Amino acid sequence: MAQKTISPTRMELTRLKTRLKTATRGHKLLKDKRDELMRQFLEIVRKNRELRLRVDEGLSNANRSLAVASAIMSPEMLEQSLLYPRHNIELDMAFNNIMSVNVPVYSFNTELDDSSSIFPYGFAQTSGELDDALASLEGVFKDMLELAQVEKTMQLLADEIERTRRRVNALEYVMIPEMQTNIKYISMKLEENDRSTKVRLMKVKDMVLETAGYGK
Amino acid sequence: MYKIAVMGGRDTVMGFKALGLDTYPVSDATEARGIFNKLTSQDEKYAIIYLEETLSKTLAQEIARFTDKATPAIILIPGREGSQGLGLTALQNAVIRAIGTDIL
C-alpha cells in the first residue's frame, strides 16, 4: 500500500484512532443506507416495469386508432379538430424525501373534470376512431403521469445507490485498512522508541556506576 | 405551476394536444435538439417532458444530463411505429448501474 510519511507521535496516533472510529461508524451507517435504498429501489423498479408495459400498450392502442382516424379524415380536418383543447392540465409538484434523496411527486388537476366532454370538436365532421383514440389517450394519461413520477424516482435512486455503494467500498477497502496499518505502524514505532530509551537508560546507569567505583 | 411537454413526430404528439398538454412536433435532429434545449432551459417550467422513443438516440447526450436532476423528468413514450422497448431498456440500464447486474 502506498505509505504516506506519517509522523509516529502520540498525537498522530490519537488522531488516527478517532478517525478510524468515525470511519467505521460511517461505514456501518452508509451500509445500512445502501441496503434500505436497495430495498426501496427494487420495489420501485417493479412498479416502474409494470407501468411501463401498461403505458406502452395503451399508447400503442391510441396510436393505432389515431392512425385509422387520420386515414379517414383529411390531415387539415384532423389538425383543426384537435387544435383547441377543451381542458387544461395543471401540474403540481412536491418533493418527497426517500433516504435523503428528493424525489418529485406530481399531482395534477384538469380544469374541466367532466370526462364525457374530453372531445374538443363536434361529432358531425369527425370519425369515430378519433373519439376512440382520444378516449384511450385520456385513459392512459393517469398511468403516464405516474410513470413519470416512478421513473424519475427510479433514476434518482439508482444514482444515489451507485454513489453510496462507491462510498461504502472506498471506506471498507481503502480508508479503513489504510488507517489500521498506520495505527499499527505508529504504535510499533512508539514501542520501539520506548525500548530504545530503556536500554539507553540502563546503559547510562551502568556507566555512571562504573565511574563512581561501584563497578564489577 | 408546472407544465408538461410532449415532443415527437407530428402524428405522435397530435393526440396529446387535445388532452391539454403542450406539444412540440419535430421533424429532424437539429430541430429536436433546439426545442429540447429550449424546453429544459431555466425559464421554462416543464416538470415532465414526454419524448418519442425514436428521438432518444439523437438526444442521448442531452437526456443524460437530466437523469440525475430532480426536474425535468424525461420519459420515453412509444411513437407511431409502436413500442421499440427503449423505455424498458433504459430501466434495465438503470438497474444495472445501481445494482451491478440485470435482475429483471
Side-chain angles (χ1 to χ4, degrees):
Chain A
M1 189 181 297
Q3 185 94 351
K4 281 178 294 181
T5 47
I6 44 167
S7 49
T9 56
R10 258 175 220 291
M11 213 171 93
E12 186 71 15
L13 183 67
T14 328
R15 205 179 64 84
L16 270 178
K17 273 187 177 162
T18 8
R19 276 191 64 196
L20 179 64
K21 218 181 205 166
T22 322
T24 323
R25 212 175 112 92
H27 173 245
K28 192 185 159 295
L29 284 173
L30 279 174
K31 218 168 159 178
D32 287 352
K33 179 184 175 182
R34 186 196 59 186
D35 290 349
E36 172 61 15
L37 273 175
M38 207 69 114
R39 193 185 64 79
Q40 301 243 13
F41 181 72
L42 288 181
E43 235 165 71
I44 284 175
V45 161
R46 220 159 282 144
K47 204 163 151 201
N48 190 339
R49 203 178 132 81
E50 212 172 277
L51 275 170
R52 168 57 75 184
L53 291 174
R54 213 155 53 191
V55 165
D56 272 8
E57 182 171 345
L59 281 180
S60 303
N61 282 343
N63 276 332
R64 215 167 303 132
S65 309
L66 207 60
V68 177
S70 67
I72 295 174
M73 294 165 63
S74 71
E76 293 83 17
M77 270 304 295
L78 190 62
E79 199 140 325
Q80 211 175 44
S81 317
L82 298 170
L83 200 54
Y84 285 104
R86 275 291 278 281
H87 52 198
N88 225 337
I89 284 177
E90 285 190 339
L91 185 73
D92 231 342
M93 184 170 57
F95 284 97
N96 193 6
N97 196 323
I98 300 180
M99 301 296 291
S100 78
V101 187
N102 277 331
V103 298
V105 179
Y106 304 121
S107 56
F108 76 107
N109 53 323
T110 46
E111 269 177 6
L112 203 75
D113 262 341
D114 189 4
S115 65
S116 64
S117 56
I118 57 165
F119 309 113
Y121 46 80
F123 295 121
Q125 287 159 345
T126 55
S127 84
E129 279 76 13
L130 189 59
D131 304 350
D132 287 346
L134 281 192
S136 50
L137 265 187
E138 173 85 8
V140 84
F141 183 66
K142 250 207 173 84
D143 281 342
M144 276 176 71
L145 210 65
E146 205 180 338
L147 177 73
Q149 180 180 323
V150 168
E151 193 152 315
K152 193 77 219 176
T153 308
M154 189 274 300
Q155 285 168 358
L156 292 173
L157 279 186
D159 187 51
E160 186 68 18
I161 286 177
E162 196 193 6
R163 218 165 344 157
T164 314
R165 218 182 40 192
R166 272 171 203 274
R167 283 158 85 184
V168 169
N169 284 345
L171 276 175
E172 189 171 343
Y173 296 112
V174 182
M175 295 274 285
I176 291 179
E178 191 174 295
M179 271 186 260
Q180 276 166 342
T181 44
N182 282 351
I183 286 174
K184 206 167 165 198
Y185 167 72
I186 292 180
S187 49
M188 300 264 264
K189 199 86 180 173
L190 284 178
E191 279 170 27
E192 188 64 31
N193 280 351
D194 273 359
R195 275 194 292 275
S196 74
T197 322
K198 204 182 236 166
V199 168
R200 197 163 55 234
L201 278 178
M202 284 162 77
K203 195 84 187 163
V204 168
K205 189 181 168 195
D206 278 355
M207 282 158 72
V208 168
L209 282 177
E210 213 166 302
T211 45
Y214 293 99
K216 315 154 197 170
Chain B
M1 204 43 60
Y2 294 91
K3 292 184 285 183
I4 306 174
V6 184
M7 257 180 90
R10 181 168 287 279
D11 296 329
T12 312
V13 301
M14 195 165 52
F16 292 102
K17 179 106 193 159
L19 282 182
L21 308 183
D22 295 353
T23 53
Y24 294 91
V26 290
S27 45
D28 63 88
T30 2
E31 194 188 356
R33 207 160 287 142
I35 292 181
F36 188 84
N37 285 335
K38 195 174 77 85
L39 293 184
T40 51
S41 67
Q42 283 300 316
D43 35 294
E44 295 281 353
K45 295 193 98 185
Y46 284 107
I48 308 176
I49 298 173
Y50 292 106
L51 199 66
E52 191 180 335
E53 275 181 344
T54 42
L55 287 173
S56 72
K57 264 202 199 81
T58 36
L59 294 177
Q61 266 186 325
E62 281 85 349
I63 296 170
R65 271 193 296 143
F66 294 96
T67 27
D68 303 343
K69 302 223 174 89
T71 54
I74 292 152
I75 310 298
L76 301 180
I77 54 170
R80 186 145 221 190
E81 298 81 25
S83 172
Q84 300 176 340
L86 289 182
L88 276 180
T89 317
L91 177 66
Q92 256 163 20
N93 286 341
V95 170
I96 290 175
R97 196 162 77 110
I99 300 180
T101 79
D102 184 10
I103 52 153
L104 289 179

